[in-house]
Amino acid sequence: MKKHTILAVDDDRTNLQIVRDVLEKDYDLQLAISGEMALRFVSRRRPDLILMDLMMPGMDGKETMRRIRMENANQKIPFVFLTANQSPEEEAACLDMGASDFISKPIVPSVLERRISRIMELEDFHHDLEAKVEEKTRQYQELALESIFAIVNIIEAKDEITEGHSVRVAGYSMALAKAMGYDEQRVEEVYQTGLLHDVGKIGIPDLILKKEGKLTNEEYGEIKEHTSIGGHILAAIETMGYLADGAKYHHERYDGTGYPQGLKGDEIPEIGRIIAVADVFDALVSKRHYKEPMDTEAARNEIIRGSGTQFDPKIVEVFLKLMDDGTVDRIRSQSIRVREPEE
Ligand SMILES: [Fe+2]
């Protein structure tokens, strides 16, 4: 196993000599005789532990620790202070700053050896645990996304003409969320929600979904049901409670004339207003059973025409920017096929 690197900092060379005698055989031991020297060392290489004299001329131990920890990557380095009859208040202050332990001077070699090895064991255990949690989290996220894509395949298998629709809508929605300042986690949630916005179509008869002529009122009524059905299906995934809103609200209109609830303006959850723009844009520029694709410029005008009536004007504004800077085109051309086309 690779030896841990320990940086020992003390202005007293006799102390450093004792530290060296005790620790050199088990660790990659580095020595510094001042805070400044310690800072220079850490800027080149990150030790696994810093053993530091509290009282040093010039930059003292506390100040050196503060400066080292200013760097984000250094915040987890454990510090152990060497103290010579410091007050309990002083020790408490150091602990508050995040010191792991104290070793009092004069240094007792057997104590030094045991304390350091105990701390290093704990550190290893901690790193191990962190790595395991990270790995599990990654696996969990992967499983979630794979499951979502499996459902997307089911949605798209219902109707080959809408192939790629879910992925593109998810892509536009994600770009909107990013541009609107959502944090990374929420952006990912918006992406997943976009992927599943049409899941309710699973519950709509193929004859209606694929009908080429005009729909009767009754048939249109049935199509509208895909929002509530989708909301209902996704409500079952309780650990991803955010998913249902996209399916449920992506056909609400800003002026309150949409479905299923006829919500108006900000009453419509923002995810619904985001997906509405992404969904309509993609439908306009794609072929459907009942229409040929529209060119991008005409689709852009349609989106502008719907601003304030069908769509949230703030979101339209962001979408137009994404069209102008090429983001929309890029997503459109990159959208992967989730199902192989039939020969
Ligand atoms: Fe829909």
Side-chain angles (χ1 to χ4, degrees):
M1 216 174 99
K2 198 174 152 281
K3 277 187 179 176
H4 289 116
T5 301
I6 293 180
L7 173 65
V9 192
D10 198 320
D11 59 300
D12 181 336
R13 287 169 196 271
T14 322
N15 273 328
L16 281 182
Q17 190 55 52
I18 301 171
V19 170
R20 173 184 265 165
D21 290 344
V22 178
L23 300 179
E24 201 172 40
K25 60 181 187 316
D26 295 323
Y27 303 96
D28 164 20
L29 186 66
Q30 304 291 327
L31 305 174
I33 51 161
S34 67
E36 289 83 354
M37 205 172 149
L39 282 177
R40 280 199 297 278
F41 178 84
V42 174
S43 70
R44 292 194 310 271
R45 211 174 125 194
R46 189 171 316 125
D48 299 302
L49 182 144
I50 298 177
L51 177 64
M52 178 136 54
D53 186 17
L54 194 54
M55 292 297 289
M56 291 185 290
M59 199 187 300
D60 70 5
K62 260 188 347 194
E63 177 62 12
T64 311
M65 170 171 163
R66 196 184 64 77
R67 295 221 195 161
I68 289 176
R69 288 234 167 138
M70 278 193 324
E71 187 88 33
N72 255 341
N74 294 341
Q75 276 173 9
K76 289 185 174 168
I77 304 176
F79 276 76
V80 176
F81 282 116
L82 292 166
T83 58
N85 48 51
Q86 255 78 41
S87 67
E89 289 79 21
E90 183 77 3
E91 296 197 354
C94 291
L95 288 172
D96 282 345
M97 279 179 72
S100 298
D101 205 354
F102 289 97
I103 294 172
S104 40
K105 292 193 209 173
I107 297 170
V108 181
S110 58
V111 171
L112 175 66
E113 191 179 355
R114 284 174 177 77
R115 287 260 174 91
I116 297 294
S117 92
R118 182 74 45 86
I119 292 171
M120 286 322 321
E121 264 171 38
L122 272 174
E123 279 297 303
D124 284 347
F125 179 69
H126 191 88
H127 284 156
D128 237 43
L129 216 59
E130 262 183 358
K132 278 189 184 131
V133 169
E134 240 169 65
E135 173 63 10
K136 282 283 159 212
T137 309
R138 202 189 51 73
Q139 283 174 357
Y140 161 79
Q141 284 165 343
E142 213 171 276
L143 173 66
L145 203 59
E146 281 168 1
S147 310
I148 287 173
F149 269 99
I151 302 173
V152 169
N153 283 347
I154 300 174
I155 306 167
E156 303 215 336
K158 285 275 285 181
D159 187 359
E160 62 283 355
I161 207 159
T162 55
E163 184 178 347
H165 174 68
S166 306
V167 174
R168 289 190 299 270
V169 169
Y172 302 141
S173 301
M174 177 165 87
L176 280 167
K178 245 189 232 169
M180 289 163 71
Y182 281 35
D183 65 28
E184 212 179 309
Q185 160 94 16
R186 278 293 291 147
V187 168
E188 182 58 29
E189 290 175 5
V190 168
Y191 179 69
Q192 296 171 353
T193 307
L195 283 173
L196 293 175
H197 76 282
D198 264 347
V199 68
K201 289 204 170 154
I202 291 170
I204 308 298
D206 288 1
L207 274 176
I208 299 178
L209 275 186
K210 295 185 174 186
K211 185 168 171 180
E212 294 197 3
K214 203 170 164 348
L215 295 172
T216 65
N217 280 346
E218 206 175 291
E219 288 165 341
Y220 188 49
E222 274 206 60
I223 289 251
K224 286 176 169 179
E225 286 293 309
H226 81 278
T227 50
S228 312
I229 296 172
H232 189 71
I233 291 173
L234 297 174
I237 310 177
E238 282 179 23
T239 45
M240 298 163 100
Y242 51 88
L243 288 175
D245 279 356
K248 216 156 132 189
Y249 299 117
H250 71 279
H251 286 291
E252 295 289 357
R253 291 174 50 113
Y254 201 66
D255 60 10
T257 62
Y259 61 90
Q261 293 182 20
L263 299 178
K264 202 172 176 175
D266 291 352
E267 287 169 8
I268 309 164
E270 194 161 74
I271 182 67
R273 285 178 270 140
I274 288 176
I275 295 178
V277 176
D279 183 28
V280 170
F281 175 78
D282 190 65
L284 288 173
V285 298
S286 305
K287 184 175 160 53
R288 286 289 181 265
H289 292 293
Y290 49 87
K291 70 163 196 67
E292 287 305 309
M294 191 182 262
D295 70 59
T296 315
E297 204 41 46
R300 183 194 162 96
N301 289 333
E302 275 301 298
I303 298 289
I304 293 171
R305 212 163 60 85
S307 177
T309 50
Q310 186 168 5
F311 309 120
D312 180 341
K314 292 189 301 291
I315 295 174
V316 169
E317 204 178 302
V318 180
F319 192 75
L320 295 178
K321 278 192 194 127
L322 294 174
M323 284 192 82
D324 294 341
D325 71 12
T327 306
V328 166
D329 272 346
R330 203 163 46 244
I331 293 167
R332 221 180 138 191
S333 58
Q334 278 171 357
S335 83
I336 47 157
R337 286 171 174 274
V338 288
R339 199 169 62 90
E340 286 307 313
E342 281 144 44
E343 290 302 313

